[in-house]
Amino acid sequence: MDRIDLYSLTEEELIDFFISLGEPKFRAKQVFPKLHEGVAISEMTSLSKALRERLADITLDTLPRVEKKLVSKIDGTVKYLFRLHDGECIESVFMRYKHGNTLCISSQVGCLMGCKFCASTLGGKVRDLLPSELLGQVIAANLDTGERVSNIVMMGIGEPLDNFDNVVRFLKLVNHPSGLNIGYRHISLSTCGVVPGIYKLAEIDLPITLSISLHASNDEKRTSIMPVNKRWHIDELLKACVDYYKVTGRRISFEYTLIAGKNDTAEDARELAALLRGAFRGTGAPIHVNLIRVNEVEETEFTEGTVDSANAFAARLESFGMVATVRRRLGADINAACGQLRRAAGAQASEGKVE
Ligand code: SAH
């Protein structure tokens, strides 16, 4: 019999599970919040020893374990390398902001999307993360820091919309009032542009913030750095974004990684502003462009520009009526770009990339 992954179960499913063991319904009500607090079954003293032993026999412990931890001396940002129950590794980053603690979580082991500047996708995708492993990153960070994660960004390793069902289950779990109770408005999901996933997300209408990794203002350039653009062109992507806004009323932010000499000229800024203003004309949607200087990855040829040139790009966007910010770099001294810790840990992935 397959072991039961308790952390992936909703409260209702946990009730059914305990009933199937011949236990009363209230066991689930006791256990659900404790699991999400990170209390191990063996430490749940409100359960009889016999029940704890039985649970240990039939359940799978999917909580990520801290394999390695880098703490920034500058701002306290913590970068975790987590080891999963099957030996695979993922990364999460814990950041302190004035408005609360934000955890950047991974959604897959590796990634299939093949963005040319990204370290996470170099070895392809190994597997999707389970809902419990998505939630487990938050539980493990809360436990390790002794603080509370209040905001989540899905911007770590992987493409969340390529793991749609598990991600949606996770969102509902982490939002549950008896669990970690993190509001949907405190959660952002970032996608490279998996268009059917954007429509599906709009359909279920959770008030999370959608971030689109755009990174280029025309198809030729975008396709040259993001293979996903061959599958869904910019116009289809922006059409899905407009639909998302119309259905959910939630603002959309666009991520734009500045790569020196590739997409950071004054003409790129003009074209980007025209593209976004054109796509959202008449919708009243507030649009935000987040500029990030590319993190240089050893295996790629891309280089970062200066802070001044990033500021100039932002100013040019603003001169065309856009709202743009240059993302502050937290943890500059532990600045391994997304996916690099995992690669350094020797995790090997085998599967191919999307073309
Ligand atoms: N797959 C999702 C989420 C993970 S990547 C997505 O593509 O949005 C999170 C963000 O980091 C994306 O905007 C991605 O394009 C960006 N990113 C990846 N590698 C980067 C690098 N080397 N430098 C700067 N940003 C990078």
Side-chain angles (χ1 to χ4, degrees), residues 274-307:
L275 177 71
L276 293 178
R277 291 181 66 177
F280 284 91
R281 184 161 294 129
T283 64
I287 298 169
H288 192 132
V289 179
N290 261 317
L291 299 168
I292 314 132
R293 286 183 305 130
V294 71
N295 265 306
E296 293 181 7
V297 175
E298 219 174 85
E299 293 89 338
T300 73
E301 76 270 31
F302 301 116
T303 49
E304 63 177 352
T306 61
V307 175

Side-chain angles (χ1 to χ4, degrees), residues 104-105 107-108 111 113 115-120 154-161 189-193 211-215 226 254-259 292-297 300 302 327 329 337-338 340:
C104 175
I105 65 169
S107 54
Q108 297 176 315
C111 182
M113 296 297 144
C115 297
K116 297 280 194 282
F117 44 82
C118 180
S120 303
M154 305 198 74
M155 287 196 178
I157 297 169
E159 168 50 51
L161 297 184
L189 183 152
S190 180
T191 177
C192 65
S211 274
I212 304 292
S213 299
L214 191 58
H215 305 328
M226 301 178 73
F254 289 89
E255 306 293 314
Y256 193 96
T257 293
L258 290 163
I259 304 170
I292 314 132
R293 286 183 305 130
V294 71
N295 265 306
E296 293 181 7
V297 175
T300 73
F302 301 116
R327 179 108 53 86
R329 277 203 182 154
C338 176
Q340 289 190 319

Side-chain angles (χ1 to χ4, degrees), residues 234-260:
I234 292 179
D235 60 345
E236 286 175 84
L237 172 59
L238 293 181
K239 205 158 141 273
C241 293
V242 170
D243 179 80
Y244 185 85
Y245 174 72
K246 285 185 177 159
V247 174
T248 65
R250 297 288 295 154
R251 87 178 165 93
I252 296 182
S253 63
F254 289 89
E255 306 293 314
Y256 193 96
T257 293
L258 290 163
I259 304 170

